Amino acid sequence: MFETNTLSISIGVAMAKRTKEEAFRAIMQSVEQINQPLNDYVTATKSNFKEFIDVSVDKNITFDILIDSDHVLNGNNNNKDNSNNLRNVLKAYGAIIVKIFNGKTNKASVESYVNSLLQYTSRMKNQVGLSIIIGEEISSEPQEYASKLLHKHKRSGKINNLILIEKPSSPLPSSIGSDEIDIT
């Protein structure tokens, strides 16, 4: 639980905005298990990591971010080791899958996302090491529901972690009547 909370906070802080590119960079910085192999891969391939963004698993399932062993590009002779290393790490860790929601994230959107994860594990025969929902607003109900779903599916070995990260579009306005004085 401590590790999940730390990861959630780390990714949330590393993101300047709620975008796919920012989420990818935050994952690259925050997920210790894949940090170095993913950095080496991106550097060696001069990848703009587009192979991991807007990935369709089939005609009904598209993930905002899908980092798995099946989507690592085969390297040329100079970077084949980096591709193989990342591929091996992802096979051991599991896929990292992200869905970004605009607006309020509710129980139904969490359930739909988890159903797409289960379809992914069934179709691709990969486990999910980390699944992330990033939303503008996430209340306690979807958080509790996600926790129950994770407990259920973690036992099956299909989904190891499911975290929800609240990332508002704009910073919260400062409180009215604040004691801060602006001297110009």
Side-chain angles (χ1 to χ4, degrees):
M1 186 174 191
F2 174 75
E3 184 180 325
T4 302
N5 288 339
T6 302
L7 187 57
S8 176
I9 291 167
S10 177
I11 292 171
V13 168
M15 291 176 61
K17 298 177 189 170
R18 195 180 58 255
T19 66
K20 297 169 192 174
E21 292 79 9
E22 287 286 320
F24 184 88
R25 286 185 188 97
I27 289 167
M28 201 161 70
Q29 291 174 3
S30 304
V31 181
E32 186 177 325
Q33 294 86 339
I34 66 152
N35 175 285
Q36 195 60 50
L38 188 56
N39 274 308
D40 291 346
Y41 169 81
V42 169
T43 301
T45 60
K46 295 179 179 55
S47 169
N48 58 1
F49 50 82
K50 294 297 183 195
E51 65 268 28
F52 302 116
I53 294 181
D54 293 326
V55 178
S56 293
V57 176
D58 65 21
K59 64 180 180 169
N60 298 319
I61 301 172
T62 300
F63 295 114
D64 292 330
I65 298 174
L66 172 58
I67 305 170
D68 71 354
S69 57
D70 296 328
H71 291 90
V72 174
L73 299 175
N74 289 324
N76 58 31
N77 293 337
N78 297 337
N79 62 20
K80 192 165 185 115
D81 289 340
N82 290 325
S83 299
N84 287 335
N85 186 29
L86 178 59
R87 193 172 278 120
N88 292 336
V89 168
L90 289 168
K91 282 181 183 178
Y93 183 78
I96 299 171
I97 304 176
V98 179
K99 179 67 179 169
I100 300 173
F101 290 102
N102 293 320
K104 189 171 184 170
T105 303
N106 58 28
K107 184 178 167 183
S109 50
V110 171
E111 184 173 32
S112 174
Y113 175 65
V114 169
N115 286 337
S116 65
L117 294 174
L118 294 172
Q119 289 177 21
Y120 166 83
T121 61
S122 175
R123 179 164 283 111
M124 303 301 288
K125 307 297 184 220
N126 291 337
Q127 73 172 5
V128 177
L130 177 61
S131 55
I132 303 170
I133 292 175
I134 302 170
E136 186 166 6
E137 183 182 342
I138 302 174
S139 66
S140 61
E141 182 187 24
Q143 290 278 7
E144 292 167 11
Y145 186 65
S147 179
K148 288 177 186 175
L149 286 175
L150 176 61
H151 181 70
K152 176 182 175 183
H153 296 295
K154 196 170 190 173
R155 285 183 282 156
S156 69
K158 293 181 180 181
I159 303 171
N160 294 329
N161 287 302
L162 171 61
I163 60 175
L164 281 66
I165 301 171
E166 187 171 37
K167 189 69 180 173
S169 294
S170 60
L172 297 174
S174 61
S175 60
I176 298 174
S178 170
D179 293 334
E180 294 178 12
I181 301 171
D182 183 21
I183 302 174
T184 52

